[in-house]
Amino acid sequence: MSQSNRRDFLKVSAAVGAAAWVEGSVQPSFAQPRAGIEKVNFACIGVGGKGSSDSADAGKEGNVVAICDIDAGRLKVAQARFKDAKAFSDYREMYAEMGDKIDAVTVSTPDHSHAPASVMGMKLGKHAFCQKPLSWSVHESRVMRELAVEKGIATQMGNQGTSNNGLRDAVELVRAGVLGEIEAVHVWTNRPIWPQGTGRPTAEEKVPEGVNWDLFLGPAQERPYSSAYHPFKWRGWLDFGTGALGDMACHTANMAVMAADLFDPTWVQAESSGIVENETYPARARIEFQFPERKRGDGEGNWSPCKMYWYDGGNLPPQEIVPGEKFKGSGSIIVGSNATLYSPNDYGAAFSVYKPGTTEDFKYEVPEQSLPRSPGHFKE
């Protein structure tokens, strides 16, 4: 990528994909309407790692007509799977050449490229499945939400746990008042499981054969290649990822947030090992969110103020909350005035309800189903 192209890339990405841009041209194009019996034509951006399973799922449900990855090795593996798909290393070129042949895109890139890659397709009227976290910044998420409404397209983030029946059972239980008034919520994860809390590497490294480092950087500021960033380890770096919170909160906090309407805190306070050299997220953190009185999602009055606590990097909730359980991995706890819900599951889909401060079962009547069930949910 030339230096002038790179400046344009940064400018366009800062505006979150203002239009389909390839070599200075703006070429809006829309896929032709399809009959109901025809399959959706997918373009898959990022086909290694999580992108491998995302593109495989797209191939099961539709036609993968284009694949894109900055790593030629991963692209070659995907080409063996999708023999009729055209391969690209630059999604801008893919949109320019294949725009009228694509109905939808999957985006399974590092976090900093989620919004630029998705929005460029959404601007062209393409439906979008984007891996979590939805974006690198709050601003990008707002732009994506507004654009989805404006274009009338179908969108989804990769939070598959929401399709679990167990998660919906838990949400209904909390909303029905089985736990009583919500007093506190605790959510934790075993992340980071990658290096985090360090400064920028100083050693010079050669870019691996087949990796287009300029395209990996995308909207991020230019920096030399290092194996400390790629592959996989990018999550802990501010320029590329969103740390432990961005990686897992959409899963582990999802059930409690849905159940108790924990969307708009009045203040947030973090205790952590600190961001290092403005480069990486803290190695460990404990974050406290204060939520005000708020309307219940089921329309049945208001919730009282409460706090939510987030733990990562080995930090865990106080053991006395559920004294008979050993907290590990990921999980969540909702403390109510009548009972405590404990889930050792990433998604909140498997849970137990205990009497306060014990592991003695709390007997309750299963509430009437109020949420739809996903026809494609996986079995717990």
Side-chain angles (χ1 to χ4, degrees):
M1 185 187 297
S2 69
Q3 198 63 32
S4 60
N5 280 358
R6 180 156 192 75
R7 285 196 298 269
D8 286 331
F9 197 124
L10 292 167
K11 181 172 64 178
V12 171
S13 298
V16 200
W21 180 94
V22 178
E23 296 181 357
S25 64
V26 178
Q27 299 290 341
S29 62
F30 295 83
Q32 295 298 312
R34 299 184 176 277
I37 59 173
E38 291 188 68
K39 287 188 174 183
V40 173
N41 284 343
F42 283 98
C44 299
I45 304 173
V47 292
K50 191 68 184 77
S52 178
S53 59
D54 288 343
S55 57
D57 288 340
K60 289 176 185 177
E61 303 299 331
N63 304 313
V64 176
V65 299
I67 52 177
C68 182
D69 203 288
I70 61 93
D71 188 322
R74 291 184 170 188
L75 203 55
K76 184 177 180 180
V77 171
Q79 282 181 291
R81 177 188 289 171
F82 305 113
K83 293 181 172 58
D84 296 328
K86 185 152 186 181
F88 298 85
S89 59
D90 188 330
Y91 61 76
R92 298 169 300 171
E93 295 176 1
M94 182 196 76
Y95 283 130
E97 184 174 333
M98 300 286 289
D100 61 347
K101 300 176 180 65
I102 296 168
D103 301 309
V105 297
T106 66
V107 176
S108 313
T109 65
D111 301 349
H112 71 302
S113 290
H114 281 185
S118 298
V119 167
M120 193 165 284
M122 294 165 70
K123 284 278 186 179
L124 300 177
K126 314 305 177 188
H127 308 291
F129 171 89
C130 182
Q131 259 308 326
K132 56 81 184 175
L134 183 61
S135 68
W136 180 82
S137 71
V138 173
H139 169 71
E140 290 174 340
S141 291
R142 289 171 176 161
V143 170
M144 294 171 79
R145 179 182 62 189
E146 292 165 1
L147 183 58
V149 173
E150 175 190 334
K151 293 294 184 179
I153 53 180
T155 61
Q156 184 178 357
M157 186 184 76
N159 191 356
Q160 64 275 9
T162 308
S163 68
N164 251 303
N165 284 351
L167 178 146
R168 300 178 187 215
D169 291 340
V171 171
E172 289 170 344
L173 182 154
V174 175
R175 287 181 176 178
V178 170
L179 304 185
E181 199 60 60
I182 304 305
E183 297 177 349
V185 172
H186 301 264
V187 183
W188 66 96
T189 179
N190 64 348
R191 270 43 168 198
I193 54 174
W194 50 81
Q196 197 166 293
T198 61
R200 183 180 291 212
T202 57
E204 291 188 11
E205 294 186 52
K206 183 180 179 181
V207 179
E209 185 177 354
V211 172
N212 191 317
W213 183 240
D214 266 351
L215 292 179
F216 174 90
L217 289 174
Q221 294 297 316
E222 192 165 7
R223 66 169 69 199
Y225 170 82
S226 171
S227 56
Y229 313 134
H230 174 82
F232 179 70
K233 299 174 185 177
W234 49 264
R235 288 190 183 278
W237 298 87
L238 269 65
D239 275 4
F240 308 133
T242 50
L245 186 70
D247 184 45
M248 286 301 291
C250 67
H251 292 319
T252 52
N254 186 27
M255 180 271 290
V257 168
M258 290 176 62
D261 299 284
L262 303 174
F263 294 103
D264 298 306
T266 50
W267 56 260
V268 179
Q269 178 174 293
E271 300 173 7
S272 76
S273 57
I275 290 175
V276 178
E277 297 177 8
N278 205 33
E279 289 282 348
T280 59
Y281 293 95
R284 57 191 175 278
R286 177 185 179 275
I287 307 174
E288 182 179 344
F289 302 80
Q290 175 66 54
F291 290 91
E293 182 176 326
R294 59 211 178 276
K295 291 184 179 179
R296 295 171 59 120
D298 59 5
E300 300 295 326
N302 293 344
W303 290 112
S304 295
C306 76
K307 290 182 179 180
M308 180 171 75
Y309 300 90
W310 167 267
Y311 311 84
D312 66 42
N315 289 323
L316 292 168
Q319 189 62 59
E320 59 266 24
I321 300 174
V322 190
E325 297 283 3
K326 185 176 181 180
F327 304 147
K328 57 183 180 180
S330 297
S332 61
I333 300 169
I334 303 178
V335 180
S337 56
N338 297 336
T340 298
L341 185 151
Y342 166 70
S343 173
N345 180 267
D346 279 347
Y347 310 121
F351 59 88
S352 301
V353 181
Y354 297 134
K355 292 182 179 179
T358 74
T359 51
E360 184 180 346
D361 286 343
F362 179 81
K363 304 298 182 183
Y364 63 92
E365 186 174 334
V366 176
E368 183 178 345
Q369 181 177 313
S370 59
L371 296 173
R373 296 308 190 253
S374 170
H377 80 92
F378 53 86
K379 303 293 183 182
E380 291 99 27

